Amino acid sequence: MKISLAQFGLGPIGLETLRLAAAKPWARIVGAIDIDPAKIGRDLGDLTQVPDLKGRKVYGSLRELLAHAKPDLVFHTAVSRLNDACAQIEPLARQGISVVSSCEELLFPKLREPRLAARLDAVCRRNQARVVATGVNPGFVMDLLPVCLTGVCREVRAIHVQRVVNASTRRGPLQRKIGSGLPPREFRRLFRAGKAGHAGLKESAALLAHCLGWKPETITETGDAVIADHDIQTQHVTVRKGQTCGLHQHAKVKVNGKVRLTLDLRMYLDAPDPHDAVQIEGDPALDLVLAGGVAGDQATVAALVNTAPRLLRANPGLLLVTDLPVPSMT
Amino acid sequence: MKISLAQFGLGPIGLETLRLAAAKPWARIVGAIDIDPAKIGRDLGDLTQVPDLKGRKVYGSLRELLAHAKPDLVFHTAVSRLNDACAQIEPLARQGISVVSSCEELLFPKLREPRLAARLDAVCRRNQARVVATGVNPGFVMDLLPVCLTGVCREVRAIHVQRVVNASTRRGPLQRKIGSGLPPREFRRLFRAGKAGHAGLKESAALLAHCLGWKPETITETGDAVIADHDIQTQHVTVRKGQTCGLHQHAKVKVNGKVRLTLDLRMYLDAPDPHDAVQIEGDPALDLVLAGGVAGDQATVAALVNTAPRLLRANPGLLLVTDLPVPSMT
């Protein structure tokens, strides 16, 4: 039996998720939902350039999609904020439709909105739906991968994760989200207002602490602009020397008065030596490096699609990606 | 509710498993089983030097253990061969007792003994028992970790894993198992007879292929002695220049005429630059290095103990370690 799928949100990640899912022998795409009037009614074959998707449509609402077909599972790649995501996901869960979401704050929903999380969890259980958020970051490099490594540790005293991303190789929306081209002062203002920066760093930290059974005393996050030391021109943005060309974000978790988790993220245009690194202070100590890092966009799309079959075999509820079996390409 | 545990096999790994389990707040140790007459009847407090284990005994059989207490789960660290393991584990499963085993061939039991595996699986399901094998290798470095990485891949064309272990830092039984001190010709004879070498390399390869949905055409394994280029003295063995000081084992998996998996293992005394490495040819490509490698004995013991709570939450059956949720220190 194939898994019947729909896509919610047709930005670059959503379209690429559809393309990858369409190539899977276990998947059947039934349609998509987007609120953009320019996309509603269009043919997914045209939008994605995947001939197999010809005849599948973009609908303006869940109600309209359901009038045509009911998916088993929806890929949700529309928003970063938890409130927005819950408003979009709860109606799906009420229909018994499971959801794999890229919403960063949904990775560990109890952190910001314990009541909203409990409510969505109850809706899922009542209607036999499963909801989980994943991606490459949050969802893998700075949380699931370090958690997985601790599986061979007798003791863990502290975990330090660094991720350096060369944003010049990433999609346009991401190049803008990291503040490219802004005066540094403006980036800082937007970051403080929660309107610029990488979403989900605190969630990664909270998920790590949760999996290790640690009760965080504080989870603090700082963010600053990285300032261009030369003019930079990408496919999507132009940045002059002295303007913001990306961000440096840092989260730390204190447990019993000690800093036991640090997550350090640098995403900026032309960043040299991109890589992901995890150091575990423990027994045994572990020192992992992914040279070149994990390519963000391709990996996020893969994480979303690969999660679908695993999610449908799990118990109903609002789940954490670490509740599911070991990830694999499927 | 604490998990009630017993230990089957009191070699170095078994004793260390008991010591680690005894320190877990979720665990209660009820006893141990060993066939060694010198150990039967002894007090686990004395054997392990863990005061909390005073009063817990070593029994010569399951029947004698059950006369005193029935564990929820048994750590089985007694044998490498699947036939021997099944003979010891099936009676446990018949009692509804779950088992986390270090038996290398049990990692992917269908490879060598599909009928025996199906039978043990049926016994488990009938009696609500869960059985799984794990460890650091097999069980993590050359199988679970690469599988986990593919979770962020759209496509995987090939996977190459290398592990270099400095056996001088390992336990005595392992230093002997890799052939230390043997004439190279004698090592080769024993390897061909299945009496020397690392067990479980083919199982790691088969588990990887299984998780990726690949049907192996062939899984081939070669092994050779590494020859000492200087005299070596460890705490456990003495090796003269020209004698065997360890092994080099290699497994490869062909799928549709192409080599798609290679596992390369070097374990020898005084090996320089010990490390674990995984290269994934795919989209995205991934290039992971664990500098220094994952310390074998500590990590195996940790993997066994950390698996127990996860296993008891899984569905009954003879399971693969990749069927369980993402590992973590517990």
Side-chain angles (χ1 to χ4, degrees), chain A residues 21-96:
Chain A
K24 296 289 179 184
W26 47 261
R28 192 166 59 89
I29 314 292
V30 299
I33 300 173
D34 200 289
I35 53 164
D36 179 355
K39 288 179 184 154
I40 294 169
R42 289 195 59 189
D43 190 291
L44 288 179
D46 297 339
L47 275 175
T48 59
Q49 303 297 314
V50 175
D52 281 357
L53 293 180
K54 275 240 181 302
R56 312 293 190 288
K57 298 285 178 208
V58 182
Y59 302 96
S61 68
L62 172 61
R63 196 175 44 77
E64 291 165 74
L65 171 68
L66 288 178
H68 290 81
K70 182 173 168 180
D72 302 315
L73 185 143
V74 163
F75 294 116
H76 173 260
T77 60
V79 294
S80 293
R81 298 298 168 205
L82 186 58
N83 277 297
D84 303 334
C86 284
Q88 294 172 338
I89 291 171
E90 196 180 301
L92 294 161
R94 285 198 185 283
Q95 298 289 332

Side-chain angles (χ1 to χ4, degrees), chain B residues 28-92:
Chain B
R28 192 165 60 87
I29 314 293
V30 299
I33 301 173
D34 201 290
I35 53 164
D36 180 354
K39 288 178 184 156
I40 295 169
R42 288 195 59 188
D43 190 291
L44 287 179
D46 296 338
L47 275 174
T48 59
Q49 302 297 315
V50 175
D52 281 356
L53 292 180
K54 274 241 180 303
R56 312 293 189 290
K57 297 285 177 208
V58 183
Y59 302 96
S61 69
L62 173 61
R63 195 175 45 76
E64 291 165 73
L65 170 67
L66 288 177
H68 290 82
K70 182 173 168 181
D72 302 314
L73 185 143
V74 163
F75 294 115
H76 173 260
T77 59
V79 294
S80 293
R81 299 298 169 203
L82 186 58
N83 278 297
D84 303 334
C86 284
Q88 294 173 338
I89 291 172
E90 196 180 299
L92 294 162

Side-chain angles (χ1 to χ4, degrees), chain A:
Chain A
M1 261 275 286
K2 292 201 178 194
I3 299 175
S4 143
L5 297 169
Q7 174 63 39
F8 192 122
L10 292 168
I13 294 284
L15 286 173
E16 203 53 36
T17 301
L18 260 180
R19 286 187 196 107
L20 179 59
K24 296 289 179 184
W26 47 261
R28 192 166 59 89
I29 314 292
V30 299
I33 300 173
D34 200 289
I35 53 164
D36 179 355
K39 288 179 184 154
I40 294 169
R42 289 195 59 189
D43 190 291
L44 288 179
D46 297 339
L47 275 175
T48 59
Q49 303 297 314
V50 175
D52 281 357
L53 293 180
K54 275 240 181 302
R56 312 293 190 288
K57 298 285 178 208
V58 182
Y59 302 96
S61 68
L62 172 61
R63 196 175 44 77
E64 291 165 74
L65 171 68
L66 288 178
H68 290 81
K70 182 173 168 180
D72 302 315
L73 185 143
V74 163
F75 294 116
H76 173 260
T77 60
V79 294
S80 293
R81 298 298 168 205
L82 186 58
N83 277 297
D84 303 334
C86 284
Q88 294 172 338
I89 291 171
E90 196 180 301
L92 294 161
R94 285 198 185 283
Q95 298 289 332
I97 299 169
S98 292
V99 178
V100 178
S101 175
S102 66
C103 171
E104 291 89 343
E105 291 184 359
L106 192 65
L107 183 85
F108 195 74
K110 276 198 298 187
L111 178 68
R112 285 170 210 263
E113 298 281 357
R115 276 193 221 174
L116 213 54
R119 182 185 143 130
L120 182 53
D121 184 52
V123 170
C124 287
R125 287 169 192 264
R126 210 154 47 227
N127 297 284
Q128 298 286 305
R130 293 114 177 117
V131 173
V132 75
T134 188
V136 65
N137 185 32
F140 189 78
V141 170
M142 301 187 97
D143 35 53
L144 189 144
L145 181 61
V147 165
C148 185
L149 290 176
T150 70
V152 292
C153 292
R154 295 172 60 114
E155 187 200 352
V156 176
R157 289 182 293 277
I159 300 181
H160 308 289
V161 189
Q162 300 89 41
R163 178 163 165 85
V164 177
V165 176
N166 176 4
S168 299
T169 62
R170 300 288 301 268
R171 68 190 192 277
L174 185 123
Q175 292 185 3
R176 283 181 286 273
K177 207 160 68 175
I178 60 174
S180 299
L182 294 178
R185 178 181 299 215
E186 174 66 1
F187 172 84
R188 289 178 193 122
R189 195 187 63 75
L190 288 171
F191 182 82
R192 280 193 304 271
K195 289 178 182 163
H198 165 78
L201 196 65
K202 273 188 164 179
E203 278 73 11
S204 288
L207 178 58
L208 265 170
H210 166 83
C211 290
L212 292 166
W214 294 349
K215 306 270 171 263
E217 214 167 277
T218 55
I219 303 181
T220 50
E221 186 179 15
T222 58
D224 202 356
V226 175
I227 296 165
D229 61 7
H230 61 287
D231 291 353
I232 304 171
Q233 177 70 53
T234 77
Q235 204 188 329
H236 308 286
V237 297
T238 304
V239 174
R240 300 271 162 244
K241 183 175 168 177
Q243 290 180 330
T244 301
C245 67
L247 56 79
H248 177 196
Q249 253 170 273
H250 189 88
K252 68 179 182 199
V253 177
K254 267 196 186 175
V255 185
N256 294 334
K258 281 192 187 152
V259 174
R260 298 188 73 178
L261 295 172
T262 65
L263 307 187
D264 193 274
L265 175 65
R266 290 159 206 255
M267 299 178 86
Y268 59 99
L269 304 176
D270 291 2
D273 185 27
H275 69 277
D276 299 319
V278 180
Q279 293 98 40
I280 296 186
E281 291 178 28
D283 183 13
L286 297 173
D287 177 1
L288 175 147
V289 174
L290 278 156
V294 182
D297 297 340
Q298 294 305 328
T300 288
V301 165
L304 292 168
V305 174
N306 289 336
T307 300
R310 243 161 48 245
L311 181 66
L312 289 177
R313 288 193 297 268
N315 292 325
L318 174 58
L319 305 174
L320 302 174
V321 68
T322 46
D323 294 333
L324 299 180
V326 175
S328 63
M329 188 197 65
T330 43

Side-chain angles (χ1 to χ4, degrees), chain B residues 174-186:
Chain B
L174 185 124
Q175 293 185 4
R176 284 181 286 273
K177 208 160 68 176
I178 59 174
S180 299
L182 294 177
R185 177 182 299 214
E186 174 66 2

